Amino acid sequence: KTAIENHKRHLEIAKEVRDKAGEGRSYGDLGNAYYSLGQFKTAIEYHTQGLEISKAVEDKAGEGASYGNLGNAYRGLGQFKTAIVYHKQGLEISKEVEDKAGEGMSYCNLGIAYDSLGQFKTAIEYHKQDVEISKELGDKAGEGMSYGNLGIAYRGLGQFKTAIEYHKQGLEIAKEVGDKAGEGASYGNLGNTYLSLGKFKTAIEYHKQNVEIAKEVGDKAGEGRSYGNLGNAYFSLGQFKTAIEYYKRVLEIVKEVGNRDRKSVV
């Protein structure tokens, strides 16, 4: 909310001095801030304004970023096919201006959107392209995130052992580069995959590690998500009272921060 106040001030100044490029960036920043709040329709309004300005000033990189941001916002609304259309437009522009990082991000976003549609094989193709670009750019954190996304897609196909291999690769890289959030996501994804295998006690160990990291980095939404996963694991063990305790913790956090769960742990 503080970020939104500052972005609005920047927007007013950009308008005052007739800085169209700055105005467009402000709309994009506001859209991203509202996206973080889970206010996807408002985010779309701002990103659409940013897109119009990028086109007007012929800022191809800004135009591509706007398409990506719009795609993410529509995905947040559950409109996955619309999201895919925008991400493909962003991908084309990234290729046109030879923005390899933007191209990789487009592949990542397309993979996630196809995951959401349950089209896991298509998602895997995009995530593998993202891996290759991350390696090409020497982006270890991006490579680790791509492995996590591949793990999620293989889990969707029911190929749990392959999913675990990818999540462990993602975990190793997260530890290597000091990405605590990525490390926590890897623990969560491993926990859910072991849960799918029926290895409930192993799943609980991973989810508890995820809780500790979420607390360490102050990620309340991630902490709540971890409690929900722990509740599911204890429920699967038939330990219903313990499951209820964890579900109650989820409820407390949702009341505190709202339900803005869009992370890659599923």
Side-chain angles (χ1 to χ4, degrees):
K1 291 180 181 178
T2 303
I4 287 169
E5 291 173 8
N6 287 309
H7 289 316
K8 285 185 175 179
R9 289 176 191 167
H10 184 244
L11 175 61
E12 290 306 312
I13 291 172
K15 287 181 177 179
E16 184 180 335
V17 301
R18 297 181 180 179
D19 175 10
K20 294 299 288 184
E23 183 182 345
R25 285 194 301 272
S26 295
Y27 286 132
D29 290 335
L30 281 163
N32 288 332
Y34 278 105
Y35 175 87
S36 297
L37 283 173
Q39 298 184 26
F40 305 121
K41 290 184 179 179
T42 304
I44 286 168
E45 292 172 9
Y46 280 113
H47 287 314
T48 299
Q49 288 175 287
L51 175 61
E52 290 171 359
I53 289 178
S54 294
K55 287 181 177 180
V57 301
E58 298 183 349
D59 175 11
K60 295 299 288 185
E63 183 182 346
S66 294
Y67 286 133
N69 288 328
L70 280 164
N72 287 333
Y74 276 105
R75 179 167 60 85
L77 284 175
Q79 298 183 27
F80 306 122
K81 291 182 180 179
T82 303
I84 286 167
V85 170
Y86 280 114
H87 287 313
K88 285 186 175 179
Q89 287 176 289
L91 175 61
E92 289 308 309
I93 288 179
S94 293
K95 289 180 177 180
E96 180 183 339
V97 301
E98 298 182 350
D99 175 10
K100 295 299 288 186
E103 185 181 343
M105 183 56 68
S106 294
Y107 289 136
C108 171
N109 287 327
L110 281 163
I112 292 171
Y114 277 106
D115 270 327
S116 300
L117 283 173
Q119 298 183 26
F120 302 117
K121 290 183 179 179
T122 303
I124 286 167
E125 293 173 9
Y126 281 115
H127 289 314
K128 285 185 175 179
Q129 288 174 288
D130 185 23
V131 168
E132 291 308 309
I133 288 180
S134 294
K135 287 181 177 179
E136 181 182 340
L137 295 175
D139 177 10
K140 293 298 290 184
E143 183 184 346
M145 184 174 69
S146 299
Y147 289 137
N149 288 329
L150 278 165
I152 290 169
Y154 275 105
R155 178 175 165 239
L157 283 175
Q159 297 183 28
F160 304 125
K161 291 184 179 179
T162 303
I164 286 169
E165 290 173 9
Y166 277 115
H167 287 314
K168 286 185 175 179
Q169 285 179 284
L171 176 60
E172 288 307 307
I173 289 177
K175 288 180 176 180
E176 178 185 340
V177 301
D179 177 9
K180 296 300 287 186
E183 184 181 345
S186 296
Y187 288 134
N189 283 320
L190 281 164
N192 281 331
T193 308
Y194 277 106
L195 184 65
S196 297
L197 278 172
K199 297 184 176 181
F200 308 128
K201 291 183 179 179
T202 303
I204 287 168
E205 291 172 10
Y206 280 116
H207 287 314
K208 285 185 175 178
Q209 287 175 289
N210 192 12
V211 167
E212 291 307 310
I213 288 181
K215 287 180 177 179
E216 181 181 340
V217 301
D219 178 9
K220 293 298 290 186
E223 184 183 343
R225 186 167 54 252
S226 299
Y227 289 141
N229 289 329
L230 280 164
N232 293 338
Y234 278 105
F235 182 90
S236 298
L237 279 174
Q239 298 183 27
F240 304 122
K241 290 183 179 179
T242 304
I244 288 169
E245 290 173 11
Y246 280 113
Y247 290 141
K248 285 182 177 178
R249 292 189 200 182
V250 177
L251 182 58
E252 290 171 5
I253 289 177
V254 169
K255 287 179 178 178
E256 180 182 347
V257 303
N259 185 6
R260 303 197 293 270
D261 184 6
R262 299 178 313 283
K263 303 294 184 181
S264 62
V265 179
V266 294

